[in-house]
Structures are given as structure tokens and as C-alpha cells.
Amino acid sequence: MLVDNYSRKFKYLRLSLTEKCNFKCSYCLPNGYKGCSAKYLDLNEITNLAFAFKELGIEKIRLTGGEPTLRPDLIKIIQTLKEVVGINHLALTTNGFRLKQDLEKLKCAGLDSLNVSLDSMQESKFKEICGTEKSRDIRYSIDHALRLGFKNVKLNCVLLRDLNDNEFFDFLEFAKSRPVSIRFIELMKTGDNKSYYERHYLPVTSFEQKLRESGWEQLASTSVSGPAKEFYHSNFAGRIGFISPYSKDFCTTCNRLRVSSVGGLRLCLFGQGDISLRDLLQSSDDRKRLKVMIATALKLKPQSHRLNEGLFGDMCSLSAIGG
Ligand code: SAM
Ligand code: SF4
């Protein structure tokens, strides 16, 4: 079991498969992905990494990016993590662009759950925020995922002042008859979005207040819920959650580790630098050394980020590590 110096236990890994993305979300990659020469972890490296983390007690792996569905070998990666490595819970975070064509293959390959980003219910607003007109297709894919029997479908919406902050009731309506969990995420400041952040950051507390006033109740948090606060209402099939990295308790419940698409272990989303695991990912013979390296590195995990002091680490955009 991976435990840090502050008694936080880690059973959840977020693994970025690529930095590439086909969207131009205004808060993340407003000018689109510009390309880099990095060689992303291949299937062999990913398998060795996953075996080591599994033996250290990791039960859930979330595949993220960039846009993970752009990896041509995504299905093979999922099958291997599920069938060969034996990961209990395999999740994917995606912008939803390719879901219409990929959903059934993903399900057959063994994917357990899905987080789909959807920042607006309105097509023109969605285009303004994400640079493409795909919100209708994404909503269709969410419904299709539910029909296919995905148990844990989450919808991520970054709350943005003067852009989507008037859509509270539209999102609520979406959760009325669908068993989805809608997560409103506070905009995070990164190296590339400082002035955007000043214009569009909005604390989620305003939505939370409206929700409580409409009779929603907070669910007790569990060891797997991590830093999200979740609410339910007996008249709604879905749930509403909030992720507020700037709140004072955010780090106390941190239950996740992150590995970049080139094998860098990132101990805190808002920290400085990664610890490269790549040399030890080439052969299964190095698994013991790899596990020692990960467990030792975890002792360096800081107790808290320092966002409130204006220190947001060295990350230019969340596309580099996957949120
Ligand atoms: N491309 C996939 C997607 O958009 O779902 C996966 C990667 S994306 C970086 C993961 C999540 O991070 C998305 O839900 C996205 O909206 C969110 N995100 C990206 N930049 C963010 C920021 N600056 N603040 C808050 N959330 C952000
Ligand atoms: Fe791409 Fe996801 Fe970033 Fe949007 S949030 S630009 S979809 S990586």
C-alpha cells in the first residue's frame, strides 16, 4: 500500500497517454496542440508501469491526456491493463469527440467507467469554449454509454464566469433522468492561461449554494471519492459534484498519483517537475527497483499545493498531465 508522510493512502493512478489533442479549449490549449517530439510511453512501458503500481496497491487507473482516444493503440492498452495486468477499475477521461465511433469497442475491451468533458449544453457556447461544434454528439454518446451499461458515467464541466455560469439549470435538467454524475470544476490557473483565469475564474460555491437551496443533500465522502464533494436529490437520477482545488481541504483528501505520457511521476498537479520512471520501464526485470523508486518518491509528496500563495507550479496547461 502506498502511503505518504501525511498518512494519505494512494490507490488511484492517472496515466496520461499523450499530450496531443484535437480540441482547442480556451482555458487549456486555446491555439490547439502544437506538437512536440516526445515519444509517448509504448504498450510495453505502460504494462511494466501498471504491474508495478498494481503490486503497490493501485486499484484504479484513469487514462487521460491530451486526448487519450487519439492513441491508435488505446483498445490494446485497455485490454492489456484489464486482462494481463488485472487492474480492477479502468477509467477514461475524454473530450468525447471519438466516442460515437469508439464506445462499443472501449466497452468490449474492458473499460469500466467514463468521464466526458462537456462545458456547455449550447452548441454555439460549446464552440466558443472548446473550439468545435460537438456538444450534441457528446450528449448523444453519454446517453449511448448509459445504454451500453457503463455504471459510472461522469460529466466534467469547468465553471467559467460569463461563459457557462448561466447554464446551471440546463445541467441540472440533464441529470434529471440520467444516472450521471455532473462535476463542476473550478478553473485552475496554469502557466498559459493567466489572463483568461483572471477573466473567467468563478468559485463553485455559488452553484453549491443554489443546489443546497433547491433541496440537494451532500453525500458522505468515501475513501474513493477524493477531493470531490457530491450531492443527491430524490427527484433526480443523477448527482452533482464540485471540485474546488482552491478550497482549504482539497489536499487532505488527495488520493491520486499522476504519470505523464513520457513516464514522469508527478506528485502534485501544481508541483514543480516530474520524477522520470522511464529507465525502469523498459524491462519487467526492473520491477522491484521501480517499486522502490515510486515508494521513495512518494515520501517527497508535499502536504498541500500553494495555490493560495499564487504558486501554481510549472505546468503550462493541463493537457500535459491530464487534470
Ligand atoms: N482531453 C480530455 C478531456 O478534455 O476530457 C482529457 C484531458 S483534460 C486536460 C482533463 C480535464 O481537465 C477536462 O475535464 C478539462 O476540462 C479539465 N481542464 C483542463 N484545463 C483545466 C483548467 N485550467 N482548469 C480546470 N480544469 C481543466
Ligand atoms: Fe484537449 Fe482536454 Fe485540453 Fe480540451 S481540456 S484542449 S479536450 S486536453
Side-chain angles (χ1 to χ4, degrees), residues 52-206:
F53 273 102
K54 183 171 183 253
E55 289 176 13
L56 287 167
I58 289 288
E59 293 172 356
K60 171 174 173 181
I61 297 187
R62 172 172 301 287
L63 303 173
T64 177
E67 179 45 41
T69 61
L70 297 182
R71 278 279 300 233
D73 54 353
L74 178 63
I75 297 296
K76 187 78 195 145
I77 293 171
I78 292 174
Q79 279 168 343
T80 308
L81 292 180
K82 202 70 197 175
E83 289 163 21
V84 181
V85 184
I87 296 298
N88 263 352
H89 185 165
L90 212 52
L92 179 78
T93 299
T94 171
N95 62 24
F97 181 84
R98 287 178 56 104
L99 281 185
K100 226 175 163 176
Q101 68 194 75
D102 288 350
L103 211 43
E104 283 166 43
K105 283 181 261 169
L106 290 167
K107 179 89 175 109
C108 290
L111 186 71
D112 296 294
S113 62
L114 204 55
N115 275 28
V116 186
S117 299
L118 184 63
D119 293 328
S120 175
M121 292 284 168
Q122 300 163 12
E123 197 68 284
S124 59
K125 190 60 74 181
F126 186 83
K127 173 138 201 246
E128 194 181 340
I129 300 172
C130 300
T132 172
E133 284 175 359
K134 281 285 163 192
S135 74
R136 196 169 300 115
D137 284 357
I138 295 169
R139 286 200 304 274
Y140 168 86
S141 295
I142 291 170
D143 282 336
H144 192 40
L146 293 170
R147 279 195 296 275
L148 285 179
F150 278 100
K151 293 273 176 299
N152 211 344
V153 179
K154 290 182 186 147
L155 205 151
N156 288 348
C157 172
V158 181
L159 185 58
L160 301 165
R161 180 194 296 280
D162 295 337
L163 284 170
N164 61 10
D165 55 339
N166 58 354
E167 292 190 48
F168 176 69
F169 290 105
D170 301 330
F171 277 97
L172 234 53
E173 188 54 38
F174 193 77
K176 184 94 191 169
S177 57
R178 296 174 178 85
V180 292
S181 174
I182 300 181
R183 305 286 183 94
F184 292 105
I185 306 172
E186 275 176 6
L187 178 63
M188 300 175 217
K189 193 195 252 185
T190 63
D192 284 351
N193 75 5
K194 291 180 200 151
S195 61
Y196 184 97
Y197 174 88
E198 299 309 329
R199 286 197 305 280
H200 296 296
Y201 171 76
L202 186 65
V204 290
T205 39
S206 54

Side-chain angles (χ1 to χ4, degrees), residues 277-302:
L277 305 175
R278 198 155 198 178
D279 285 350
L280 297 180
L281 298 179
Q282 306 312 311
S283 157
S284 57
D285 295 345
D286 285 326
R287 192 172 307 154
K288 208 166 165 190
R289 285 171 63 207
L290 178 59
K291 289 196 298 186
V292 171
M293 186 168 183
I294 295 166
T296 310
L298 188 61
K299 299 296 174 198
L300 301 173
K301 185 172 165 69

